[in-house]
Amino acid sequence: MLDISLRVRVHVETLLATQNDMGVCDALGQYALAGKPDTMNAPHPPKVAGIDSTVPSPAHTVAPVASGTSPTVPPVPLAPPGAALQDRLAGWVSDLTTLHELTERLVRTPALDAALQELLRAGAALVGARRALVVIEPGDGLGPDTTIGLGLARADLGHIETVPRSALSYGRILDGLSTGEHGIAEPDLFAAEGLDPRHREVAARLGYAASYALPLSTETAGHLGAAVWLYDEPAEPSRRQRHLIGLYTRYAGEHLARLLELERTRASMATMSDELLPDRLPRVAGVQLAARRRTGPRGGGDWYDALPLPDAALGLAVGSVTGAGPSAVGAMGRLRASLRAYAVMEGEDPVAVLSDLELLLRLTEPARSATALFGYCEPAARKITLAGAGHSPPLLIGPRRTQFVETSVSAPLGMLACWEAPCVEILAEPGETVLLYTDGLLHRTGETTDRAFARLHAAAAGVPRTLRRDPGAIADHVLRSVLPDGLDAADGTEDVVLLAVRFE
């Protein structure tokens, strides 16, 4: 058996450790005390979750001895070689595991608000705080600007916002008065000299006594905002906690920058879509109009229109272009503008209007198809002459009946060499509402077509009597009933358009 000295064994253990965990090589160089074997063999306090404990070694109980005899002290067992290094490696592994779990949860957040909430929760766990808030104010000034709290109600955030920003640690970061690169700790607000009186008052009211603030930024996007964690008692994060939260926020900044860019893109798409739709609905005697629209995150091609026509008539249209994104939005704008022109020229014949639209679509955009519904409305006669191309049937809602209007089965525009389908007439009674909608209303339910139609019919039949005089209230009730639990949110996966026409 080879007799290897203790000094050599320590070198070998250090080498193996560094080979197995390359992420901590630099740190290993600081703690691999190869030249001091006695120091490494000294007893080391236990570690808890990667933190060096300061609990002293327990005292040994010595058995009583008779008078006049020398007590015999039992030998203290030596710690195994490399115990200190193994403890530190265990701490590093624990820290890395924690950061991995927290960043995995963060990267799964699909939206900015959800990511900010996850950032506050993870940071609170890392620094040992209970409440927090984050303020997003991108340095380029393009927004979006938002403030989100953890454990703080909206009124609490309002109280904090009454404090001068220069008196708040995160406010100084936002205003560029302090970089806060390693964080700004305020371990005891009430013992600090020169604390702003309003800040003292708000802190006493909300019950926090210390804070720790960090900037949120990236090298490419620059300044994004700042986060601050609030302690109920005087406290400040330890050196290890600061290191961990610093690593986490650096990663979080990159994720937030991507979500900010996505949020800006969605806002731009929604604005562009809204600009291509009517900014107001016309007022025509004998009818009331209301429209509701929900735009998907990528921007879609669903549209609606209502335009006055000669002889006190009204042209009504809803439709949907295939695809999503800027190209679909652009195609929707071109198609809607063309339909308006055809409606002015030959609106009395809805079939001719859609035939012209189909020819235009086939010649100018052969790779795209669309569904459409156009109606020539005569308010004085309470009549709508309707033609549809692959579109869902309208819904007639009244005090004594709720039914789908039977329309002919026809292909979408751009699917056939020559589109044509017969039109139908809707004769409404006073107080009845005709609801036009796009297929997104049915698709967002996630159910089969038959079940989605049944849900829509039940929602329309269940409109309270008090709401039936307002077409906007009817559309809102149908949206909430057909798409409950937030499925009617503006950032759903499908575009949704509703156009309600109530006859007086």
Side-chain angles (χ1 to χ4, degrees), residues 112 116 134-147 161 165 170-171 173-176 216 221-226 260 264:
L112 180 62
L116 294 177
V134 59
V135 180
I136 296 299
E137 291 183 7
D140 55 14
L142 299 179
D145 297 347
T146 185
T147 300
E161 289 175 352
R165 284 176 47 131
Y170 74 90
I173 294 175
L174 293 173
D175 293 338
L216 299 173
H223 173 76
L224 300 177
L260 275 172
R264 291 173 177 177

Side-chain angles (χ1 to χ4, degrees), residues 239-259:
R239 180 181 177 183
R240 168 186 166 273
Q241 290 174 323
R242 294 191 188 201
H243 179 64
L244 291 179
I245 191 64
L247 293 175
Y248 179 78
T249 53
R250 280 198 290 274
Y251 179 85
E254 299 290 344
H255 184 61
L256 293 177
R258 291 190 292 269
L259 293 180

